[in-house]
PDB file of all heavy atoms in Angstrom:
ATOM      1  N   SER A  82      49.912  30.087  -0.703  1.00  0.00           N
ATOM      2  CA  SER A  82      49.462  29.018  -1.588  1.00  0.00           C
ATOM      3  C   SER A  82      48.333  28.197  -0.936  1.00  0.00           C
ATOM      4  O   SER A  82      47.370  27.832  -1.576  1.00  0.00           O
ATOM      5  CB  SER A  82      50.640  28.099  -1.996  1.00  0.00           C
ATOM      6  OG  SER A  82      51.147  27.423  -0.881  1.00  0.00           O
ATOM      7  N   ASN A 115      67.306  22.637   6.133  1.00  0.00           N
ATOM      8  CA  ASN A 115      66.482  21.731   5.334  1.00  0.00           C
ATOM      9  C   ASN A 115      65.666  20.817   6.237  1.00  0.00           C
ATOM     10  O   ASN A 115      64.473  20.572   6.006  1.00  0.00           O
ATOM     11  CB  ASN A 115      67.349  20.882   4.398  1.00  0.00           C
ATOM     12  CG  ASN A 115      67.699  21.661   3.159  1.00  0.00           C
ATOM     13  OD1 ASN A 115      66.954  22.546   2.746  1.00  0.00           O
ATOM     14  ND2 ASN A 115      68.860  21.373   2.585  1.00  0.00           N
ATOM     15  N   LEU A 118      62.803  22.592   7.844  1.00  0.00           N
ATOM     16  CA  LEU A 118      61.718  22.817   6.866  1.00  0.00           C
ATOM     17  C   LEU A 118      60.900  21.555   6.698  1.00  0.00           C
ATOM     18  O   LEU A 118      59.659  21.603   6.714  1.00  0.00           O
ATOM     19  CB  LEU A 118      62.316  23.180   5.505  1.00  0.00           C
ATOM     20  CG  LEU A 118      62.622  24.652   5.230  1.00  0.00           C
ATOM     21  CD1 LEU A 118      63.131  24.803   3.811  1.00  0.00           C
ATOM     22  CD2 LEU A 118      61.378  25.529   5.456  1.00  0.00           C
ATOM     23  N   GLY A 133      74.962  28.558  -3.547  1.00  0.00           N
ATOM     24  CA  GLY A 133      75.766  29.781  -3.320  1.00  0.00           C
ATOM     25  C   GLY A 133      76.273  30.331  -4.629  1.00  0.00           C
ATOM     26  O   GLY A 133      76.661  29.554  -5.518  1.00  0.00           O
ATOM     27  N   ILE A 185      83.421  67.590   8.978  1.00  0.00           N
ATOM     28  CA  ILE A 185      84.254  68.702   8.495  1.00  0.00           C
ATOM     29  C   ILE A 185      84.897  68.417   7.135  1.00  0.00           C
ATOM     30  O   ILE A 185      85.758  69.141   6.675  1.00  0.00           O
ATOM     31  CB  ILE A 185      85.376  69.062   9.533  1.00  0.00           C
ATOM     32  CG1 ILE A 185      86.153  67.777   9.889  1.00  0.00           C
ATOM     33  CG2 ILE A 185      84.793  69.714  10.769  1.00  0.00           C
ATOM     34  CD1 ILE A 185      87.514  68.077  10.517  1.00  0.00           C
ATOM     35  N   TYR A 195      79.233  60.180  -3.367  1.00  0.00           N
ATOM     36  CA  TYR A 195      77.888  60.081  -3.967  1.00  0.00           C
ATOM     37  C   TYR A 195      77.989  59.588  -5.419  1.00  0.00           C
ATOM     38  O   TYR A 195      77.197  58.754  -5.855  1.00  0.00           O
ATOM     39  CB  TYR A 195      77.137  61.410  -3.897  1.00  0.00           C
ATOM     40  CG  TYR A 195      75.801  61.291  -4.581  1.00  0.00           C
ATOM     41  CD1 TYR A 195      74.821  60.485  -4.006  1.00  0.00           C
ATOM     42  CD2 TYR A 195      75.563  61.880  -5.791  1.00  0.00           C
ATOM     43  CE1 TYR A 195      73.597  60.288  -4.655  1.00  0.00           C
ATOM     44  CE2 TYR A 195      74.327  61.682  -6.468  1.00  0.00           C
ATOM     45  CZ  TYR A 195      73.378  60.887  -5.878  1.00  0.00           C
ATOM     46  OH  TYR A 195      72.160  60.669  -6.520  1.00  0.00           O
ATOM     47  N   GLY A 217      58.032  40.715 -10.766  1.00  0.00           N
ATOM     48  CA  GLY A 217      58.870  40.228  -9.670  1.00  0.00           C
ATOM     49  C   GLY A 217      59.102  41.350  -8.644  1.00  0.00           C
ATOM     50  O   GLY A 217      59.016  42.533  -8.962  1.00  0.00           O
ATOM     51  N   VAL A 222      67.322  46.753   1.958  1.00  0.00           N
ATOM     52  CA  VAL A 222      67.500  47.510   3.195  1.00  0.00           C
ATOM     53  C   VAL A 222      68.941  47.950   3.242  1.00  0.00           C
ATOM     54  O   VAL A 222      69.841  47.133   2.987  1.00  0.00           O
ATOM     55  CB  VAL A 222      67.195  46.606   4.421  1.00  0.00           C
ATOM     56  CG1 VAL A 222      67.285  47.425   5.713  1.00  0.00           C
ATOM     57  CG2 VAL A 222      65.836  45.940   4.319  1.00  0.00           C
ATOM     58  N   GLU A 255     100.532  58.272   7.037  1.00  0.00           N
ATOM     59  CA  GLU A 255     100.317  58.165   5.581  1.00  0.00           C
ATOM     60  C   GLU A 255      99.360  57.000   5.270  1.00  0.00           C
ATOM     61  O   GLU A 255      98.530  57.102   4.352  1.00  0.00           O
ATOM     62  CB  GLU A 255     101.677  57.920   4.918  1.00  0.00           C
ATOM     63  CG  GLU A 255     101.619  58.260   3.468  1.00  0.00           C
ATOM     64  CD  GLU A 255     102.844  57.771   2.706  1.00  0.00           C
ATOM     65  OE1 GLU A 255     103.828  57.382   3.361  1.00  0.00           O
ATOM     66  OE2 GLU A 255     102.756  57.759   1.464  1.00  0.00           O
ATOM     67  N   PRO A 263      84.931  51.662   1.440  1.00  0.00           N
ATOM     68  CA  PRO A 263      84.045  51.658   0.241  1.00  0.00           C
ATOM     69  C   PRO A 263      82.573  51.602   0.661  1.00  0.00           C
ATOM     70  O   PRO A 263      81.908  50.597   0.486  1.00  0.00           O
ATOM     71  CB  PRO A 263      84.471  50.338  -0.468  1.00  0.00           C
ATOM     72  CG  PRO A 263      84.918  49.452   0.653  1.00  0.00           C
ATOM     73  CD  PRO A 263      85.475  50.326   1.740  1.00  0.00           C
ATOM     74  N   ALA A 266      76.275  55.991   2.743  1.00  0.00           N
ATOM     75  CA  ALA A 266      74.922  55.964   3.319  1.00  0.00           C
ATOM     76  C   ALA A 266      74.123  57.071   2.651  1.00  0.00           C
ATOM     77  O   ALA A 266      74.277  58.245   2.997  1.00  0.00           O
ATOM     78  CB  ALA A 266      74.999  56.172   4.831  1.00  0.00           C
ATOM     79  N   ALA A 283      58.840  49.903 -10.389  1.00  0.00           N
ATOM     80  CA  ALA A 283      57.846  50.767  -9.736  1.00  0.00           C
ATOM     81  C   ALA A 283      58.162  50.756  -8.245  1.00  0.00           C
ATOM     82  O   ALA A 283      58.420  49.681  -7.675  1.00  0.00           O
ATOM     83  CB  ALA A 283      56.460  50.194  -9.985  1.00  0.00           C
ATOM     84  N   GLU A 318      86.956  44.610  10.146  1.00  0.00           N
ATOM     85  CA  GLU A 318      88.331  44.148  10.373  1.00  0.00           C
ATOM     86  C   GLU A 318      89.024  43.638   9.096  1.00  0.00           C
ATOM     87  O   GLU A 318      90.159  44.020   8.809  1.00  0.00           O
ATOM     88  CB  GLU A 318      88.368  43.082  11.490  1.00  0.00           C
ATOM     89  CG  GLU A 318      89.805  42.687  11.840  1.00  0.00           C
ATOM     90  CD  GLU A 318      89.864  41.712  13.023  1.00  0.00           C
ATOM     91  OE1 GLU A 318      88.833  41.432  13.657  1.00  0.00           O
ATOM     92  OE2 GLU A 318      90.987  41.242  13.295  1.00  0.00           O
TER      93      GLU A 318
END
Side-chain angles (χ1 to χ4, degrees):
S82 65
N115 280 330
L118 273 182
I185 53 161
Y195 177 68
V222 184
E255 201 192 347
E318 186 175 353

